[in-house]
Amino acid sequence: MYGQLSTYTALGVDLLQAGLVDTVVNVDYSSVVIERMKKKFGESKNLQWLQMDIRELQFDSDTFDVVLDKATMDAFVPKEIYGEAPNENCQTMVNEVKRVLKGGGQFVQITFGQPHMRKKYFQPLLEQGKAETGDVKYTWKLEMKTLGVLFVVYSKLWNGSMQVDRDS
């Protein structure tokens, strides 16, 4: 299942129509955005539009195969640009995404933010994974690519851990 955090875009709809995903759940903080997108694209069992706060996602743990952030974190970081302390909202967002991703799931982030402004929020996951498993093979991994001169950063964070049977 594919979850998209910033919904004022047709990206999720395009992925669904292209057959690249089977279900898209779009989440946005703004009820106005959600209503506009419902009217524009409709809803079905495979396409949902939900008003929700990324810092308190109303999904069970281990729900999504992929979570895409298209500039959601960008809305939280303006204070940092002016030298203020790192934003707790960004770390809370990353922790929530971690919670709702399935083992082996991927978090893809598309942002205009500079890589160093994003990487610090993923660092605790990278360090936590190594501490818990002691094996880099089964930890979180981070891949960042800068595309073009506008600092469009494509970050991909994935949980390389094996799927755990929670009944055991």
Side-chain angles (χ1 to χ4, degrees):
M1 186 180 320
Y2 167 87
Q4 181 172 301
L5 302 179
S6 178
T7 62
Y8 207 64
T9 176
L11 181 58
V13 174
D14 292 342
L15 291 171
L16 188 62
Q17 290 175 345
L20 298 172
V21 296
D22 59 1
T23 303
V24 175
V25 178
N26 297 281
V27 173
D28 200 289
Y29 188 78
S30 169
S31 59
V32 172
V33 168
I34 293 296
E35 290 307 313
R36 284 184 183 165
M37 298 309 274
K38 280 182 184 180
K39 286 179 185 175
K40 185 172 184 175
F41 296 108
E43 259 193 312
S44 69
K45 69 175 189 159
N46 294 4
L47 180 64
Q48 298 174 33
W49 304 92
L50 304 172
Q51 189 277 326
M52 201 174 296
D53 187 336
I54 181 61
R55 297 164 298 178
E56 296 181 49
L57 292 171
Q58 303 300 308
F59 301 109
D60 292 336
S61 297
D62 305 312
T63 297
F64 295 98
D65 299 299
V66 177
V67 173
L68 172 69
D69 165 22
K70 187 173 171 286
T72 302
M73 188 178 282
D74 292 348
F76 289 135
V77 296
K79 291 180 181 180
E80 289 184 32
I81 294 169
Y82 302 104
E84 294 184 28
N87 194 317
E88 287 180 19
N89 291 321
C90 294
Q91 193 63 58
T92 302
M93 173 184 163
V94 169
N95 291 339
E96 273 295 274
V97 169
K98 175 192 172 204
R99 184 184 67 76
V100 300
L101 275 176
K102 293 179 180 177
Q106 295 188 17
F107 176 38
V108 177
Q109 184 179 62
I110 301 171
T111 177
F112 285 103
Q114 296 177 10
H116 73 278
M117 297 292 284
R118 300 295 179 265
K119 189 173 182 179
K120 61 186 162 190
Y121 296 112
F122 301 113
Q123 199 61 43
L125 290 180
L126 301 172
E127 293 169 7
Q128 177 187 15
K130 289 178 186 175
E132 288 176 358
T133 66
D135 186 345
V136 176
K137 181 178 178 184
Y138 299 115
T139 61
W140 288 88
K141 299 174 187 171
L142 177 64
E143 176 184 329
M144 299 180 97
K145 294 181 182 178
T146 303
L147 309 172
V149 295
L150 297 175
F151 291 110
V152 176
V153 177
Y154 164 81
S155 305
K156 183 168 75 171
L157 181 72
W158 69 94
N159 179 353
S161 66
M162 296 171 24
Q163 186 67 36
V164 176
D165 182 358
R166 299 217 181 259
D167 295 331
S168 303

